[in-house]
Amino acid sequence: MTDDLFTQLTDNPTMIVTVRASDLLSAFEACAASALRLAREAVEEPDRLISKDEAARMLGVSPTTLWRWEKAGYLSPVRIGVAVRYRMREINEMIYRKTVR
């Protein structure tokens, strides 16, 4: 039901809905579980390199924003051939600060 609710809200942002408390609780639990999983990964592997898409998802921004932040000096990606990777430690610092330097 959580995915159905999310899809409906995403597709119809002005829609007024009545939601069962159990469905709302399930949605919150899913969000919390996802955040906890990302936090555990970050603690367990701080030096891990992650993809541009994964970094953008973790920060809640678009890959284009990551590129702009790189050009502005906020991020220092690692380039391996044509592949762009970001240090988990640097992404975690941005999440912790919740602001761009």
Side-chain angles (χ1 to χ4, degrees):
M1 182 65 187
T2 303
D3 292 334
D4 295 337
L5 176 62
F6 182 76
T7 301
Q8 288 294 320
L9 293 173
T10 303
D11 292 345
N12 306 297
T14 60
M15 180 174 64
I16 297 172
V17 296
T18 302
V19 182
R20 289 185 305 191
S22 61
D23 290 337
L24 189 57
L25 183 58
S26 293
F28 286 137
E29 287 173 347
C31 288
S34 177
L36 184 58
R37 180 184 53 78
L38 290 173
R40 282 188 185 133
E41 287 176 5
V43 169
E44 292 168 358
E45 303 179 60
D47 293 329
R48 183 170 68 111
L49 296 176
I50 59 174
S51 71
K52 174 176 49 177
D53 291 335
E54 189 175 1
R57 182 176 45 81
M58 288 179 70
L59 291 168
V61 299
S62 71
T64 304
T65 299
L66 291 178
W67 178 82
R68 284 195 312 255
W69 287 353
E70 174 190 349
K71 297 302 175 199
Y74 300 139
L75 285 173
S76 303
V78 175
R79 298 194 185 282
I80 304 169
V82 296
V84 177
R85 299 288 183 261
Y86 293 89
R87 291 175 188 85
M88 180 67 87
R89 178 183 323 234
E90 194 170 358
I91 300 301
N92 289 334
E93 288 172 5
M94 291 187 82
I95 292 170
Y96 179 73
R97 284 192 318 261
K98 297 183 183 176
T99 60
V100 176
R101 289 182 240 170

